[in-house]
């Protein structure tokens, strides 16, 4: 018994030492960061800004690879299949990493909550309800959008980043509250695809994050009708909040997080988390985030990030059950 205990202690010590030694040299080659959307959306923007700073901090290239499709499952499963050594990571958001594991659990070939770990919470982005100005569609207020939808049953078309994505849930819950029906036209190309469908007039409205849509608002291609914030945004001082308009509790802040395969050595997770916190505090990212209306909200540790992810999944599990949104 004593010999066995000594052998076990020795083995544990060897594993810890090996992990620490690995962390001392990590990263020693380029790191891949998977993004579950096409280029141009908020998740892609955050991933690319972060990768540039991580390269400066850690001395290796952090290469963003866009792998959209299947509600984020393709990117998640590719990450999980990779060796858990810190060289294949993923930047995901509330849709792909909190909602998808709930509503599409049967589509996964992995056990999401056992096979994925959170490295760090990164940022939060407010959302806005927008309407297109294409094809002569003219609504200047949220009330006018609701009136159009009621006067033209089945003609209001709205887009989202996919069936079950947070923009889908937000508009479905809003429509139910406001008392109108609308046609859901999801895209597989993330926020970039949503914007394309809006500015071409294929759809008329959407809940979308501010970072992705601000350029089209400035150009006049999109009209902001309401913001999903506690108070009005300085960027849109004349646009009321949903709460002001009587729709408190509707709408989602689009968070972004960094994820890794379960089994990644703790010293590697610690190294990544420390580098992420430093990156988010850098003048370059602070300035870029301010321009895009993105708020950096890093977790305090990988353990804190995991606790946050678990709480988000449970929150959305309750939301999905209560919202009863059609997922066809």
């Amino acid at each position: 018994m004593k010999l066995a205990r000594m052998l076990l202690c020795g083995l544990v010590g060897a594993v810890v030492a090996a992990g620490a030694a690995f962390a001392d040299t990590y990263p020693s080659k380029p790191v891949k960061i998977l993004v579950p959307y096409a280029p141009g959306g908020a998740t892609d923007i955050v991933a690319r800004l972060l990768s540039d700073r991580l390269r400066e901090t850690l001395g290796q290239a952090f290469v963003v690879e866009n792998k959209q499709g299947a509600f984020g499952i393709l990117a998640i499963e590719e990450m999980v299949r990779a060796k858990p050594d810190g060289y294949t990571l993923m930047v995901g958001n509330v849709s792909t990493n909190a909602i998808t594991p709930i509503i599409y659990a049967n589509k996964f070939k992995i056990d999401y909550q056992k096979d994925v770990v959170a490295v760090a919470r990164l940022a939060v982005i407010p959302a806005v309800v927008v309407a297109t100005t294409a094809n002569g569609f003219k609504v200047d207020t949220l009330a006018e959008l609701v009136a159009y939808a009621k006067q033209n049953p089945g003609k209001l078309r709205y887009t989202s980043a996919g069936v079950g994505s947070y923009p889908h849930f937000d508009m479905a819950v809003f429509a139910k509250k406001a008392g109108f029906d609308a046609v859901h036209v999801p895209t597989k190309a993330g926020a970039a695809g949503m914007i394309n469908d809006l500015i071409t007039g294929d759809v008329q409205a959407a809940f979308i994050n501010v970072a992705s849509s601000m350029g089209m608002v400035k150009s006049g291609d999109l009209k902001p009708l309401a913001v999903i914030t506690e108070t009005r945004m300085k960027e849109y001082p004349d646009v009321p909040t949903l709460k002001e308009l009587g729709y408190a509790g509707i709408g989602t802040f689009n968070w972004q997080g960094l994820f890794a395969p379960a089994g990644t050595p703790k010293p590697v997770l610690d190294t990544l988390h420390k580098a992420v916190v430093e990156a988010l505090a850098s003048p370059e990212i602070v300035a870029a985030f301010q321009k895009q209306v993105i708020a950096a909200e890093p977790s305090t540790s990988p353990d804190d990030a995991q606790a946050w992810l678990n709480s988000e999944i449970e929150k959305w599990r309750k939301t999905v059950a209560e919202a009863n949104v059609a997922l066809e």
Side-chain angles (χ1 to χ4, degrees), residues 80-96:
V80 168
R81 285 194 296 267
K83 187 177 180 181
D85 55 7
Y87 289 98
T88 302
L89 308 170
M90 174 187 174
V91 170
N93 69 8
V94 59
S95 290
T96 57

Side-chain angles (χ1 to χ4, degrees), residues 27-45:
S28 59
K29 61 182 181 180
V31 177
K32 178 164 65 176
I33 297 181
L34 295 164
V35 171
Y37 296 108
T43 304
D44 182 71
I45 291 169

Side-chain angles (χ1 to χ4, degrees), residues 39-116:
T43 304
D44 182 71
I45 291 169
V46 170
R48 291 181 187 279
L49 289 170
L50 179 66
S51 66
D52 287 344
R53 294 310 308 164
L54 290 178
R55 182 182 67 244
E56 295 295 324
T57 302
L58 295 176
Q60 286 289 343
F62 280 72
V63 182
V64 173
E65 181 178 310
N66 298 89
K67 192 174 185 70
Q68 66 265 35
F71 320 105
I73 294 173
L74 295 181
I76 292 168
E77 290 191 337
E78 179 173 328
M79 178 190 70
V80 168
R81 285 194 296 267
K83 187 177 180 181
D85 55 7
Y87 289 98
T88 302
L89 308 170
M90 174 187 174
V91 170
N93 69 8
V94 59
S95 290
T96 57
N97 290 76
I99 303 175
T100 285
I102 296 167
I103 64 176
Y104 296 119
N106 63 344
K107 294 183 181 293
F108 276 99
K109 297 175 182 177
I110 63 167
D111 185 328
Y112 178 85
Q113 288 194 265
K114 288 183 179 178
D115 295 332
V116 175

Side-chain angles (χ1 to χ4, degrees), residues 177-218:
K177 173 79 172 178
F180 66 85
D181 293 323
V183 178
H184 182 213
V185 185
T187 176
K188 295 181 179 180
M194 292 173 65
I195 290 170
N196 179 73
D197 290 350
L198 282 160
I199 64 176
T200 58
D202 288 342
V203 297
Q204 290 82 43
F207 277 68
I208 191 167
N209 73 77
V210 172
S212 298
S213 58
M214 182 168 283
M216 293 300 103
V217 169
K218 289 180 178 178

Side-chain angles (χ1 to χ4, degrees), residues 291-307:
K291 185 177 180 180
Q292 298 282 350
V293 198
I294 301 172
E297 290 192 5
S299 45
T300 58
S301 68
D303 286 343
D304 176 52
Q306 188 61 48

